[in-house]
Amino acid sequence: MTSLIPPGCPTVLTEDDRTGTSIETLRRAFMDNLFFIQGRFPEVATKNDYYLALAYTVRDRLLLRWLNSAKTYRDQESRTVCYLSAEFLLGPHLGNNLINLGLYEAVEEAMRQTGLNLKELLDQEEEPGLGNGGLGRLAACYMDSLATLEIPAIGYGIRYEYGIFDQEIRDGWQVEITDKWLRYGNPWEIPRPELILPVKFGGHTYSYTDDQGRYRVIWEPHQVVQGVAYDTPILGYKVNTANLLRLWRAEAVESFDFQAFNTGDYYGAVNQKIASENITKVLYPNDEQLQGKELRLMQEYFFCSCALQDMIRLYKQSGKQDLSRFHEKFTVQLNDTHPAISVAELMRLLVDEHLMPWEQAWDITRQTFAYTNHTLLPEALEKWPLDLFGSLLPRHLQIIYEINRRFLDEVRLQYPGDNDRLRRLSIIDESGCRYVRMAHLAAVGSHAINGVAVLHSELLKQTVLRDFYELTPEKFSNKTNGVTPRRWMVLSNPGLTRLITERIGEDWVKHLDQLRQLEPLAADAEFAAQWRSVKHGNKERLAQYIRDRIGVTVDPHSLFSILVKRIHEYKRQHLCVLKVITLYQMLRDQPHLEMVPQTFIFGGKAAPGYYMAKLIIKFINSVADVINRDPVVRDRLRVVFLPNYNVTLGQRVYPAADLSQQISTAGYEASGTGNMKFALNGALTIGTLDGANVEIREAVGAENFFLFGHTVEQLQELRCNGYRPWEFANGHPMLKRVLDLISSGYFSHGDTELFRPLVEHLWQDDRYCLLADYQSYVDCYQRVLQVYQDQAQWAKMSILNVARMGKFSSDRAIREYCQDIWHVQPVKIVLPATAYMTS
Ligand code: GLG
């Protein structure tokens, strides 16, 4: 073997130690890292030392692929997708990287030979919770698929020092604990302390005409911070492509303001450092709720400015000075409006800093950006008060005015005299308090706009972006979300993965449509028995976890009915609780009633400032307490709230579900992705016609899906006629009894006040129409229980669900983005014969 060690390099490593994949090599590399990176010998090493030694062993194999990918892209000047997202909810890296490297079994064996258990080491990893829920997790699935499809891509975001809080449950209430995910170091990132970019805030602008007669604007900021890059490789599944996730951390330009220091203002000097670092301290823990805080706008601008400056830097690296082809090198996807400020920032960089004429800059900008909308909820649509915006980003406000002026001029040509339309389309909301509407900025500045499920994309065109649709219908399309089968099947459900692969080979992991080959097996009794036994094993493991974690015993033979997602009134966790209380009431009425044993499992975090959501958590726990203690239910009903729902817990929960609860009010859940993970893992769905449920039902067949509830149109009609929830409550004796039981203090130790806000909301307003859907939900549930009693039938439906879920792979979604919006091609990465690249 030729030596790969560069001349003069004083190392005793051989190529194999860094890149080799045999069990023997992995074992040696692992011990080596324990020794030389962790500085430990086995007798004193902690589990975390072992975890880190293994992580570095795996990272070496990643870096080989990553550096080769980067070099190939650079050499070939590949067109690159940039995915801008304020959130990347990655979940733990180690297991996923082992799967994608194809090294899971080898490493498991290497650890076994070392006397260690891989599963225990995997459990050591603190998950990087840099996101709230679906939106951030979608970004992570898309990064996985981009790499797997060998598409050159960079993810740009924020390296929050504290990610989403950890949730503890005390006395039934949510308590938030700061997420110190970086406490023990992060072996998956490579800090780039030399890759720093300045970001300006505040101050004022002035203009002048330069000696060539050009109008120029100078922005004199009040504050400058710098963004430092932290790079994480994102490896594709069994390919050599490893893409870059570049997250930015804010720091002070100078650690000390020496002038202030010298004048004795020591605290003032340190303060500036703290203020700068605050920008990337913590993730805002609100899902679908804008808070309008200045620091949030700073975060958004901070990472967008870093990302765009970085792209320009990369563009220029290839020797091109003139930015006229920027949009040919990069295509930028805006993950919701959080990065929408990029539109104004790219204009500023091109016009002010690179002296490009406005028209040309605008052309490039619009060809560069595309915008994904993730919500129709009015409280989630970002708008910034004009004065806040102007004081933080004075130059951007001017640029936005100019974009808006030109845009409205065009609209005027098309719709002369239609002032109402102008008012509705304007980027500036002039009604009452004046605001910058970020969705409008994104829509005007992008060449493509998409929703995330068919229904949502349609509603988008009819409601929030209706006027934009009428103006430029060609910009609009739908891109139904997807999830990666690598994390959400291969890693989290090895039993089902093995069973499927035995029958149809392993192609389905990359081509999820291949699952269709399972269809004939739905009628195969032996296969169905194996299928059920895998599910049962997964349920047993979850039951064990529940026992260990919260001390409640649940029966793995009972129907596991699961509702995990962020807590939000529109997601209607409390509707499920009404159903649970209904069952409980039935058992109290007829203590000897024969009923399918059921376990209801809930999980999810509430935004810390969202009172109703927190009350719903308390409600679930209070109902669980009473029911689990009541001897009358015996083993027929159990209710569990799993604390701290996150990616890691999701990996345990989805494979163990019999029934997936997707019960949002129709028209409110843009897509959902948990619904896909459940169905892919063989759960049947009880759901409304909302978000991607509609398409899941279509794909798996209406007969394999439990549908209930009002449709969007029916709800509209209900509301038009004046929705009177109390009529529903009074019209259904059981529903009334359930509500009365809650009001009586039955679940709150006699306290009649505790849940009053919840019940009163339902009686009086019921914005999300729980009461209107209650009966249909309860009836539908009866059908679920009937089918569940026929285990053979249930298994058949479960197999058919999985067989028909191929569409919901994030690979399919990314292919659609590539074809319709990004126009990018795959680039093959070939590993060189030697590990170090010298050419
Ligand atoms: C949003 C929506 C979800 C959607 C997700 C990803 O609420 O329905 O699945 O984005 O598009 N804020 C979210 O999580």
Side-chain angles (χ1 to χ4, degrees):
M1 192 171 48
T2 50
S3 168
L4 290 157
I5 315 270
C9 181
T11 171
V12 292
L13 289 181
T14 66
E15 176 194 30
D16 257 4
D17 286 324
R18 292 277 195 199
T19 64
T21 54
S22 72
I23 292 167
E24 174 53 28
T25 310
L26 289 165
R27 206 162 56 86
R28 195 174 57 235
F30 170 76
M31 291 312 290
D32 211 84
N33 286 338
L34 184 68
F35 204 85
F36 289 109
I37 296 187
Q38 285 312 104
R40 292 280 193 206
F41 51 90
E43 289 81 351
V44 296
T46 63
K47 252 194 204 135
N48 194 55
D49 289 323
Y50 284 126
Y51 159 71
L52 286 170
L54 180 56
Y56 285 114
T57 308
V58 173
R59 192 179 89 167
D60 284 342
R61 274 92 195 141
L62 282 186
L63 289 187
L64 175 70
R65 286 154 181 85
W66 187 38
L67 293 175
N68 275 288
S69 303
K71 184 159 192 316
T72 307
Y73 298 159
R74 189 188 147 112
D75 291 350
Q76 302 188 5
E77 299 186 12
S78 313
R79 176 164 167 81
T80 302
V81 176
C82 295
Y83 200 83
L84 263 59
S85 180
E87 304 186 4
F88 286 91
L89 185 46
L90 298 169
H93 291 273
L94 178 57
N96 200 251
N97 283 328
L98 287 176
I99 296 288
N100 283 8
L101 280 166
L103 285 182
Y104 195 96
E105 282 79 18
V107 165
E108 197 169 33
E109 177 57 23
M111 291 302 99
R112 205 189 55 74
Q113 290 181 11
T114 319
L116 296 165
N117 177 335
L118 176 58
K119 288 226 167 60
E120 281 179 22
L121 299 188
L122 291 175
D123 284 344
Q124 278 299 302
E125 185 172 347
E126 289 252 10
E127 84 169 61
L130 309 185
N132 274 286
L135 175 143
R137 183 53 232 177
L138 186 78
C141 282
Y142 282 0
M143 289 305 291
D144 177 280
S145 284
L146 281 160
T148 298
L149 294 174
E150 305 178 291
I151 303 292
I154 305 175
Y156 281 113
I158 299 174
R159 182 180 177 276
Y160 299 105
E161 188 175 333
Y162 303 112
I164 188 68
F165 61 86
D166 286 330
Q167 177 194 58
E168 277 183 16
I169 301 297
R170 292 192 201 146
D171 186 30
W173 294 98
Q174 164 176 298
V175 176
E176 299 93 20
I177 314 285
T178 42
D179 160 52
K180 299 189 178 142
W181 71 290
L182 290 166
R183 184 171 24 189
Y184 300 117
N186 173 9
W188 305 102
E189 69 182 5
I190 297 189
R192 303 285 187 204
E194 286 174 305
L195 178 41
I196 47 178
L197 295 166
V199 180
K200 305 192 257 188
F201 291 100
H204 61 276
T205 65
Y206 65 88
S207 59
Y208 69 99
T209 306
D210 71 10
D211 47 15
Q212 290 168 46
R214 281 181 307 216
Y215 176 74
R216 293 199 55 186
V217 179
I218 302 295
W219 174 16
E220 282 204 336
H222 167 71
Q223 184 192 3
V224 182
V225 303
Q226 62 192 23
V228 187
Y230 285 74
D231 292 351
T232 302
I234 306 287
L235 179 69
Y237 179 72
K238 296 192 179 168
V239 288
N240 294 321
T241 300
N243 282 329
L244 166 62
L245 175 63
R246 180 161 280 170
L247 304 180
W248 301 93
R249 187 175 76 88
E251 59 175 40
V253 175
E254 294 283 338
S255 301
F256 273 93
D257 179 342
F258 282 106
Q259 212 182 343
F261 191 48
N262 289 335
T263 56
D265 186 10
Y266 179 77
Y267 278 97
V270 177
N271 252 344
Q272 199 224 325
K273 176 175 156 60
I274 292 171
S276 304
E277 289 174 358
N278 268 347
I279 295 175
T280 52
K281 260 297 166 232
V282 57
L283 166 77
Y284 274 93
N286 305 309
D287 195 51
E288 312 234 39
Q289 202 160 32
L290 168 74
Q291 271 203 317
K293 291 276 195 283
E294 184 182 42
L295 190 61
R296 169 70 178 193
L297 181 57
M298 290 178 89
Q299 290 185 336
E300 295 183 354
Y301 176 62
F302 167 77
F303 93 89
C304 292
S305 179
C306 288
L308 288 165
Q309 291 184 63
D310 194 45
M311 283 178 241
I312 291 177
R313 188 185 64 82
L314 289 169
Y315 180 93
K316 291 196 164 180
Q317 252 180 19
S318 63
K320 291 194 280 289
Q321 282 311 305
D322 149 32
L323 287 164
S324 62
R325 306 191 138 206
F326 182 80
H327 58 287
E328 293 173 12
K329 166 72 184 161
F330 292 112
T331 173
V332 180
Q333 194 67 30
L334 304 174
N335 196 26
D336 215 289
T337 54
H338 316 143
I341 186 65
S342 297
V343 170
E345 174 66 355
L346 183 57
M347 284 301 287
R348 186 189 71 82
L349 290 167
L350 294 177
V351 173
D352 291 1
E353 303 212 342
H354 295 88
L355 309 182
M356 191 182 275
W358 180 280
E359 290 75 10
Q360 187 189 8
W362 184 237
D363 220 48
I364 290 171
T365 297
R366 268 204 306 197
Q367 292 189 66
T368 298
F369 292 110
Y371 158 53
T372 305
N373 172 287
H374 293 266
T375 184
L376 306 171
L377 289 191
E379 63 265 38
L381 292 178
E382 285 194 301
K383 49 181 199 167
W384 296 103
L386 227 57
D387 45 355
L388 187 158
F389 195 98
S391 72
L392 206 60
L393 302 170
R395 178 56 183 146
H396 296 77
L397 189 57
Q398 292 171 348
I399 290 173
I400 288 171
Y401 277 141
E402 183 60 15
I403 293 172
N404 200 35
R405 188 184 67 76
R406 291 169 184 246
F407 168 61
L408 294 181
D409 274 351
E410 280 171 33
V411 178
R412 239 177 241 110
L413 286 180
Q414 212 166 322
Y415 298 96
D418 193 345
N419 286 333
D420 249 12
R421 188 179 295 268
L422 287 176
R423 205 174 31 72
R424 293 197 308 266
L425 277 165
S426 173
I427 301 174
I428 310 295
D429 180 349
E430 310 264 3
S431 61
C433 226
R434 297 169 79 214
Y435 293 100
V436 184
R437 296 158 160 162
M438 299 310 270
H440 291 216
L441 179 60
V444 175
S446 296
H447 66 277
I449 302 168
N450 73 283
V452 289
V454 172
L455 175 67
H456 169 240
S457 294
E458 283 310 308
L459 293 173
L460 194 60
K461 294 190 287 188
Q462 288 166 26
T463 61
V464 174
L465 296 180
R466 182 191 179 132
D467 293 305
F468 287 94
Y469 177 62
E470 283 175 14
L471 196 67
T472 49
E474 68 284 355
K475 281 192 187 179
F476 283 75
S477 76
N478 171 58
K479 298 284 169 280
T480 298
N481 287 163
V483 300
T484 169
R486 272 73 67 181
R487 183 176 293 274
W488 297 114
M489 271 290 264
V490 182
L491 176 63
S492 54
N493 200 344
L496 205 59
T497 299
R498 215 172 300 123
L499 181 60
I500 293 173
T501 303
E502 269 164 28
R503 296 301 181 113
I504 66 169
E506 59 179 12
D507 254 22
W508 62 273
V509 178
K510 272 195 168 187
H511 303 277
L512 204 62
D513 281 327
Q514 301 268 333
L515 287 176
R516 204 164 278 278
Q517 291 179 55
L518 294 173
E519 269 194 35
L521 293 167
D524 177 332
E526 191 203 321
F527 183 72
Q530 292 173 325
W531 188 269
R532 279 165 51 192
S533 130
V534 168
K535 178 64 82 183
H536 190 76
N538 293 340
K539 288 169 72 177
E540 276 179 335
R541 275 183 291 278
L542 183 60
Q544 178 69 45
Y545 176 83
I546 292 171
R547 200 162 33 244
D548 295 347
R549 187 75 173 72
I550 60 169
V552 175
T553 305
V554 304
D555 177 6
H557 291 98
S558 64
L559 187 159
F560 277 18
S561 186
I562 308 192
L563 208 177
V564 286
K565 50 180 83 234
R566 283 300 285 249
I567 312 290
H568 203 295
E569 285 162 281
Y570 85 78
K571 296 181 192 274
R572 303 200 294 194
Q573 281 90 355
H574 46 334
L575 174 59
C576 186
V577 183
L578 296 184
K579 164 67 200 168
V580 170
I581 300 175
T582 305
L583 288 169
Y584 177 54
Q585 191 70 269
M586 286 161 61
L587 291 175
R588 295 205 322 153
D589 290 349
Q590 302 164 261
H592 300 292
L593 184 73
E594 277 225 17
M595 197 170 86
V596 176
Q598 295 163 68
T599 302
F600 285 86
I601 299 169
F602 295 86
K605 293 173 185 175
Y610 186 174
Y611 172 71
M612 266 305 193
K614 291 180 116 170
L615 190 59
I616 289 173
I617 292 179
K618 172 68 176 168
F619 182 46
I620 298 170
N621 280 305
S622 303
V623 170
D625 266 0
V626 170
I627 292 182
N628 296 346
R629 264 191 295 114
D630 193 335
V632 83
V633 305
R634 283 182 274 122
D635 291 330
R636 289 168 295 177
L637 193 56
R638 279 277 175 284
V639 185
V640 167
F641 187 92
L642 281 178
N644 205 34
Y645 179 65
N646 58 8
V647 174
T648 312
L649 188 48
Q651 290 174 196
R652 286 180 190 278
V653 161
Y654 296 117
D658 293 309
L659 189 68
S660 153
Q661 301 251 8
Q662 306 299 334
I663 62 176
S664 52
T665 319
Y668 284 88
E669 189 69 85
S671 165
T673 43
N675 47 4
M676 301 169 188
K677 294 163 199 166
F678 275 115
L680 183 61
N681 281 276
L684 303 188
T685 306
I686 183 167
T688 49
L689 278 183
D690 198 17
N693 295 354
V694 178
E695 290 155 80
I696 292 176
R697 177 167 173 268
E698 236 164 56
V700 303
E703 68 286 6
N704 299 309
F705 186 105
F706 299 101
L707 178 69
F708 77 95
H710 287 73
T711 62
V712 173
E713 292 78 20
Q714 289 166 343
L715 285 176
Q716 211 175 6
E717 200 184 309
L718 191 69
R719 287 184 175 128
C720 273
N721 299 330
Y723 175 44
R724 290 173 292 278
W726 58 90
E727 287 179 3
F728 283 89
N730 287 324
H732 298 298
M734 187 49 127
L735 175 55
K736 177 147 189 333
R737 285 180 66 198
V738 167
L739 293 174
D740 288 346
L741 192 64
I742 302 165
S743 299
S744 75
Y746 188 89
F747 299 105
S748 39
H749 306 284
D751 181 348
T752 51
E753 288 305 304
L754 183 60
F755 298 126
R756 184 195 290 274
L758 241 162
V759 180
E760 272 183 2
H761 249 77
L762 296 179
W763 274 108
Q764 289 162 14
D765 170 51
D766 193 17
R767 187 168 159 210
Y768 299 106
C769 303
L770 280 75
L771 303 194
D773 277 349
Y774 168 84
Q775 194 58 50
S776 139
Y777 183 43
V778 168
D779 294 344
C780 186
Y781 220 96
Q782 277 317 110
R783 297 206 305 280
V784 171
L785 296 183
Q786 250 168 33
V787 178
Y788 193 73
Q789 276 171 312
D790 182 349
Q791 282 287 296
Q793 175 65 12
W794 189 275
K796 182 176 171 201
M797 289 166 72
S798 164
I799 295 168
L800 286 177
N801 259 262
V802 175
R804 296 169 180 175
M805 281 299 289
K807 166 175 168 185
F808 301 96
S809 167
S810 45
D811 299 346
R812 184 270 314 148
I814 285 298
R815 271 196 204 96
E816 289 179 9
Y817 279 98
C818 286
Q819 268 162 34
D820 304 343
I821 299 180
W822 300 333
H823 310 293
V824 280
Q825 302 297 328
V827 173
K828 266 249 161 308
I829 305 299
V830 183
L831 295 186
T834 61
Y836 299 103
M837 295 165 295
T838 44
S839 65

